[in-house]
Amino acid sequence: MLHASRSLIRTSSDLHTSIRNSSSTKHVFACVLGSGVAGSSVAYHLTKRNIKDVLLLERASGVASPSGTSFHSPGLVSASHPAHRYKPILAHSIELYSKLEAETGVNIDFQPTGTIRLATNETRLAEFRKYVNRDYYKEGDVCKTTLLTPDQVRELAPDVDHSKILGALHTTNDGTISARALTQALVVGAKNGGAQVIDGAIPKEIKYDKEKGHWIIALEDGTLVTTRNLINAGGIWANDIARLSGHALPVVVVEHQYAVLTPNKTPGPTPAIIDHDSTFYVRKSGDDYLFGGFESLEKTVIREDWYKKGVPTEGSKSIQADFSRLDDAYKRACDLIPGLQGSKVDARAAVFSMTPDGYPLVGPYDKNYWMSTGFLDGVSSGGGIGKYLADWIVDGEPPAELFDTDASRYERWGDRKFFTERSRETYSMYYNWSYTDRSAGRPTDRISGVYGRLKKDGASFSFRNGWEVANSFNMGVQNEEYLPTLIREYEMVTNKCGVIDLSWKGKIEVKGNDAEKLMDYAIASQIPALGKISSGLMLTRHGGILGPMMIFHHDRQRSAFILLTEPERESRDLYWLRRAAAEKKFDVQVSIVSEYLASLALVGPKSREVLSALTKSDVSDEGFPQKSTRMIRLGPVGVVCARSSTSTGQLSYELFHNRAETAKLYNAVMSAGREHGIVNFGQAALNMMRLEHGYKIWGKELTLDTNPFECGIGGLVDFEKKEFIGRESALELKKKDFDDSSRRLALITFDTEEGCVLDDRYVPSGNEVIRIDGKEARVGQITSGAYNVRLQKPIAFAWIDNAVGKNERLVVDIGDKRLFATSLETPTIPPIQ
């Protein structure tokens, strides 16, 4: 996570001299660069954590300047989001905004009118139905989402021509706000909490003092600031700020067109209205409408010239309005909302900073260098993200699972070509929640040595943190549906054998004189002996699951370990391990080796026979037992071979090797396996295998919001060790009786109609809401699911309220069907021991 520094104008000693000679030097716990919604929210929430020593720097002469972004924000406050884990962030924003005016005395004009998202075709209606089926709501929650009929839309929004829609997604209690006033209110709240604010503060140099462990910021007026924590919330200027310390951010600056519409007739009360297909938004603003949209791909303008030369001081003020870019969206809006026709159009424009996936950069980026920038929805998420980041800074660990916003998620693989191409696609499809398998910028350099071969063999790929991940294989079977494809893969692997490319897995190497000490301190589990591989857990200081992983080593001095993690989490794990090493002053190097350490896995009952054909080594149960590793040669390639059935429940061997030799190894395995019926298989079939034997994975069942004991993996915590991160909290959690807790993690199965056609649309994938049959109350939520071939019905993990009896008849809405579910006491098959 540490980024290579570029040479600065002055040396660190020069800055120290300036500090000694400066008549204006400020020393603070946290310095926030940028006082838009993002920056002012962080400062506000730091003071709410009783941190008074906060400095907020604004480059303009006042907050919410027309040159920035917050001034031009449409002020939409939305509680709907395609990522379920992001919704608590939005909910906090709405809770905060509903009481901020009373707290600060600033009129922020928060109007909880709600939001309706129009469905004008069957695809969008199905998308919204799926969303409602996954929207977990309990009494007392801030917002609730429902699916409206056209008649219900007419009641809520009479201006909408309900004859042209099939329905709408309606969220209560969100709505609209004055973004300028919101920024001012957050600044007032921060000041009331003890924060200082300096306007017209333009940073000239930024340097990290390794000896003292703080950042030094030199402003253009000669003021010097030293701070323990630097927060870059610079908006469109964030990358220019980053360059002062030798960093470069994976952001682009994109132009945005909008307008103030004055209709012929004063609009009545109405919710904010969004159309996902034409990507327009419109909301009432006094006697006018505020209208905007996300231009089509070919009309989207990204200012790469500003990236190269720096963002001008005028920022958004220098952009020319060009409402013609929104012609299609505006025509569609007038068609759906006839009252807009003939409106006077006051065209305007601004610029926004964004990332390739549309999520902001939030969290640590370097040593106590924090990011809060790249927002496309800064008003909606700014309140919640400000609290999230403030809590992380104060507590030293992320307060919730929000890996989507990891500030370093593009490190080691992203380049400007990818950033611009993907950002242009994301911007133009901002409201398109259904189409997630987006192609812009793909593939990146993160492809395995057999990517081309797998693609030729019919692989379909998903995209995970830059990697192309084979999901399933169409073996030349014409018009084969998705679910039958997965069943065929599963049956071939579990009856014979298959090979899966796992090169996309995150891999971290820990080496050095104190490698074993760091492992013992950072990992709550027992560290495996030489020649062994085992599961491990990293815990937060509060005892939450930071990350499960597999661990092995092949060094008799125990000075080099490999940790297998997930690609979305590898940067966070790297930061955590490096921070733990620095805390204890361990002599150790921690680095990510995913780019050159590749892996293929050989799975299934015939896999030992395939392995035997490629090596002279003893691969029998006695010579190569479960959960062990061997350095062997397979045909022309040397590998570290790990035998572990933990994730598959099948006889399995994972083959770690040099990425440059993947093709040779793959060809050798496929050649040796031909007589045994070897096939390719992908991540989807692997998911079917792990669910049938009850294996829980990170990002689904195991997250920061869970702990080992409620998840049933408390045995991985080794209390024989005297010290590891989270030990005291884990001890307290172990004492807790989780039979009396509020929820439990359970396997459930679903009843299917006899003779029904297999259809993956009715297989749960995660976040679907669970109810008791005949009751509306929501009593649980699915974490992950798949089709179970042995039971011939879907199976899923779910968190269920403990008050629900184990024999209770449950219902889950999936697509347009309601499925009945029951708890499964034990997995379908036990894993191989």
Side-chain angles (χ1 to χ4, degrees):
M1 182 161 297
L2 304 184
H3 300 245
S5 295
R6 302 175 183 177
S7 58
L8 299 176
I9 296 172
R10 292 193 285 177
T11 66
S12 180
S13 60
D14 289 334
L15 285 177
H16 284 302
T17 301
S18 298
I19 291 174
R20 290 193 298 270
N21 296 335
S22 174
S23 59
S24 178
T25 301
K26 298 181 180 296
H27 306 276
V28 293
F29 172 80
C31 178
V32 184
L33 301 176
S35 67
V37 172
S40 58
S41 179
V42 175
Y44 170 86
H45 284 96
L46 282 170
T47 64
K48 290 300 181 182
R49 291 296 307 270
N50 205 32
I51 304 295
K52 313 293 184 183
D53 202 10
V54 178
L55 179 63
L56 182 61
L57 301 181
E58 169 55 42
R59 64 180 291 118
S61 57
V63 299
S65 163
S67 60
T69 295
S70 295
F71 180 92
H72 299 273
S73 169
L76 297 175
V77 183
S78 175
S80 299
H81 197 280
H84 175 81
R85 57 190 159 271
Y86 207 74
K87 289 191 281 186
I89 295 291
L90 305 177
H92 177 79
S93 292
I94 292 167
E95 284 185 288
L96 172 65
Y97 301 163
S98 66
K99 60 188 180 184
L100 192 60
E101 184 172 327
E103 177 188 336
T104 64
V106 178
N107 179 13
I108 60 176
D109 193 27
F110 178 50
Q111 303 289 331
T113 57
T115 302
I116 59 172
R117 298 169 183 266
L118 305 178
T120 58
N121 55 60
E122 289 293 345
T123 298
R124 200 65 56 211
L125 188 64
E127 172 185 271
F128 291 161
R129 185 181 294 114
K130 183 177 181 180
Y131 186 92
V132 171
N133 292 345
R134 296 177 170 196
D135 189 38
Y136 196 88
Y137 172 84
K138 281 193 171 184
E139 198 67 36
D141 288 354
V142 178
C143 300
K144 183 177 182 179
T145 305
T146 54
L147 193 62
L148 302 181
T149 65
D151 286 339
Q152 290 172 319
V153 172
R154 180 172 55 181
E155 293 177 16
L156 271 176
D159 292 340
V160 174
D161 184 348
H162 73 288
S163 69
K164 296 180 178 178
I165 63 171
L166 302 180
L169 187 71
H170 177 226
T171 310
T172 61
N173 293 332
D174 60 6
T176 65
I177 200 169
S178 166
R180 295 171 229 174
L182 170 62
T183 305
Q184 293 162 356
L186 289 168
V187 171
V188 169
K191 284 182 175 179
N192 291 344
Q196 303 174 65
V197 180
I198 301 178
D199 293 334
I202 300 177
K204 184 171 65 173
E205 300 172 45
I206 300 175
K207 183 74 175 180
Y208 184 70
D209 186 332
K210 293 182 181 179
E211 185 179 331
K212 296 187 178 180
H214 63 213
W215 290 92
I216 305 168
I217 306 163
L219 304 182
E220 286 192 349
D221 66 0
T223 300
L224 288 170
V225 178
T226 64
T227 180
R228 171 70 176 166
N229 296 282
L230 187 154
I231 299 104
N232 185 343
I236 59 175
W237 289 280
N239 193 60
D240 292 347
I241 292 170
R243 280 176 168 160
L244 296 176
S245 54
H247 300 86
L249 303 184
V251 295
V252 302
V253 174
V254 60
E255 292 187 6
H256 184 75
Q257 303 294 324
Y258 69 105
V260 175
L261 306 179
T262 303
N264 297 320
K265 179 183 177 182
T266 301
T270 184
I273 300 170
I274 295 172
D275 180 48
H276 279 219
D277 287 292
S278 57
T279 69
F280 76 75
Y281 59 82
V282 62
R283 63 99 154 179
K284 187 174 179 292
S285 178
D287 292 337
D288 300 321
Y289 285 111
L290 191 62
F291 174 87
F294 294 86
E295 298 98 299
S296 59
L297 192 70
E298 63 276 7
K299 293 181 179 179
T300 299
V301 176
I302 291 176
R303 300 304 301 265
E304 275 299 273
D305 56 327
W306 286 10
Y307 171 79
K308 296 172 183 176
K309 299 176 183 178
V311 178
T313 302
E314 298 80 9
S316 286
K317 290 196 296 183
S318 66
I319 302 299
Q320 295 295 316
D322 183 3
F323 197 66
S324 67
R325 294 188 206 165
L326 295 180
D327 276 351
D328 292 342
Y330 184 54
K331 288 176 183 176
R332 183 58 172 158
C334 290
D335 187 40
L336 293 171
I337 310 171
L340 296 180
Q341 296 175 12
S343 296
K344 177 185 175 183
V345 178
D346 178 9
R348 303 181 183 184
V351 287
F352 292 83
S353 173
M354 67 171 290
T355 66
D357 58 14
Y359 286 93
L361 304 177
V362 183
Y365 202 60
D366 204 332
K367 311 177 201 71
N368 294 323
Y369 188 120
W370 306 82
M371 300 301 308
S372 185
T373 195
F375 291 86
L376 269 178
D377 63 344
V379 171
S380 291
S381 58
I385 287 291
K387 182 179 188 303
Y388 170 84
L389 185 57
D391 288 344
W392 192 345
I393 292 169
V394 174
D395 297 332
E397 60 189 41
E401 192 63 84
L402 206 62
F403 59 85
D404 314 76
T405 65
D406 188 332
S408 293
R409 61 188 181 273
Y410 297 105
E411 197 177 335
R412 293 171 300 279
W413 63 271
D415 56 24
R416 292 309 301 178
K417 182 176 182 292
F418 175 83
F419 298 156
T420 54
E421 289 183 7
R422 193 54 168 257
S423 295
R424 183 174 282 108
E425 180 186 58
T426 297
Y427 179 85
S428 66
M429 301 177 70
Y430 183 65
Y431 287 132
N432 194 327
W433 293 352
S434 294
Y435 183 60
T436 56
D437 187 25
R438 300 178 180 179
S439 59
R442 294 172 57 183
T444 70
D445 288 340
R446 280 192 152 185
I447 56 174
S448 82
V450 290
Y451 168 73
R453 170 70 182 272
L454 299 183
K455 187 175 182 180
K456 183 180 178 181
D457 286 348
S460 64
F461 294 90
S462 56
F463 190 69
R464 294 187 62 177
N465 204 42
W467 288 100
E468 296 293 334
V469 179
N471 194 57
S472 62
F473 289 82
N474 184 335
M475 300 286 290
V477 182
Q478 289 189 348
N479 302 318
E480 185 177 43
E481 296 292 333
Y482 180 63
L483 190 53
T485 294
L486 298 189
I487 292 173
R488 173 177 46 75
E489 279 184 31
Y490 169 89
E491 290 178 335
M492 290 295 290
V493 175
T494 55
N495 288 306
K496 296 181 179 180
C497 63
V499 63
I500 182 171
D501 180 12
L502 296 176
S503 298
W504 49 269
K505 285 280 189 179
K507 304 170 194 74
I508 297 175
E509 183 179 50
V510 177
K511 65 180 181 179
N513 294 330
D514 294 331
E516 187 172 10
K517 291 180 181 178
L518 174 60
M519 295 292 291
D520 269 327
Y521 178 62
I523 309 295
S525 312
Q526 185 178 20
I527 307 304
L530 178 67
K532 295 292 184 181
I533 184 169
S534 64
S535 300
L537 284 178
M538 286 199 299
L539 302 180
T540 68
R541 298 188 187 279
H542 291 95
I545 297 176
L546 185 74
M549 53 186 54
M550 297 297 289
I551 306 166
F552 70 89
H553 78 104
H554 263 282
D555 175 18
R556 294 188 181 279
Q557 285 71 44
R558 292 177 72 78
S559 63
F561 295 83
I562 295 294
L563 287 66
L564 306 178
T565 180
E566 300 296 326
E568 298 87 353
R569 209 184 70 221
E570 62 182 5
S571 289
R572 187 177 76 185
D573 289 350
L574 179 72
Y575 176 81
W576 186 264
L577 289 163
R578 284 181 172 177
R579 182 168 175 166
E583 175 193 339
K584 291 292 189 178
K585 296 182 172 57
F586 289 143
D587 177 13
V588 67
Q589 297 82 49
V590 186
S591 56
I592 289 176
V593 295
S594 309
E595 312 306 322
Y596 67 82
L597 182 60
S599 68
L600 300 173
L602 187 57
V603 180
K606 299 288 187 178
S607 56
R608 180 183 283 118
E609 295 174 48
V610 176
L611 205 63
S612 297
L614 290 169
T615 183
K616 295 179 179 179
S617 300
D618 183 1
V619 295
S620 65
D621 274 334
E622 296 76 19
F624 198 170
Q626 178 73 302
K627 295 183 180 179
S628 61
T629 62
R630 298 287 185 270
M631 296 185 73
I632 61 177
R633 192 160 195 84
L634 296 180
V637 181
V639 306
V640 175
C641 182
R643 180 185 170 188
S644 175
S645 303
T646 304
S647 62
T648 64
Q650 305 288 324
L651 179 63
S652 304
Y653 302 91
E654 189 163 359
L655 316 174
F656 298 94
H657 59 281
N658 189 309
R659 183 180 174 188
E661 296 187 301
T662 301
K664 285 193 293 184
L665 178 61
Y666 175 85
N667 289 336
V669 170
M670 294 301 283
S671 178
R674 193 170 293 118
E675 65 178 282
H676 300 290
I678 195 169
V679 295
N680 289 305
F681 73 102
Q683 188 181 15
L686 181 64
N687 187 54
M688 296 169 75
M689 294 178 206
R690 68 98 183 170
L691 272 165
E692 73 176 356
H693 75 274
Y695 181 69
K696 309 169 184 86
I697 61 172
W698 173 82
K700 301 294 185 178
E701 293 73 47
L702 313 178
T703 70
L704 277 168
D705 309 311
T706 65
N707 69 70
F709 306 97
E710 65 177 343
C711 292
I713 57 172
L716 291 178
V717 182
D718 181 13
F719 289 108
E720 295 297 316
K721 299 201 298 187
K722 294 182 180 179
E723 183 185 24
F724 58 80
I725 296 173
R727 189 178 190 277
E728 291 184 8
S729 297
L731 271 173
E732 291 302 313
L733 288 168
K734 185 183 179 183
K735 297 174 185 176
K736 185 176 179 181
D737 184 0
F738 283 99
D739 289 337
D740 294 330
S741 65
S742 61
R743 64 178 186 174
R744 67 179 184 271
L745 186 59
L747 269 174
I748 58 175
T749 57
F750 298 83
D751 297 333
T752 54
E753 299 173 8
E754 193 169 330
C756 69
V757 177
L758 295 177
D759 192 330
D760 65 284
R761 290 179 300 168
Y762 305 118
V763 176
S765 58
N767 294 325
E768 293 87 355
V769 169
I770 300 171
R771 298 179 177 87
I772 294 175
D773 186 19
K775 298 181 180 180
E776 180 59 27
R778 305 181 179 200
V779 298
Q781 192 159 30
I782 289 171
T783 59
S784 62
Y787 184 79
N788 187 290
V789 179
R790 295 171 189 269
L791 295 176
Q792 296 188 23
K793 60 179 67 175
I795 186 173
F797 267 120
W799 286 106
I800 300 175
D801 290 355
N802 240 351
V804 177
K806 293 185 178 180
N807 296 321
E808 199 82 61
R809 188 171 170 84
L810 307 173
V811 294
V812 179
D813 292 326
I814 302 177
D816 57 358
K817 289 186 180 293
R818 172 161 286 190
L819 301 184
F820 294 98
T822 54
S823 294
L824 190 65
E825 290 299 320
T826 58
T828 313
I829 60 168
I832 294 175
Q833 299 299 318

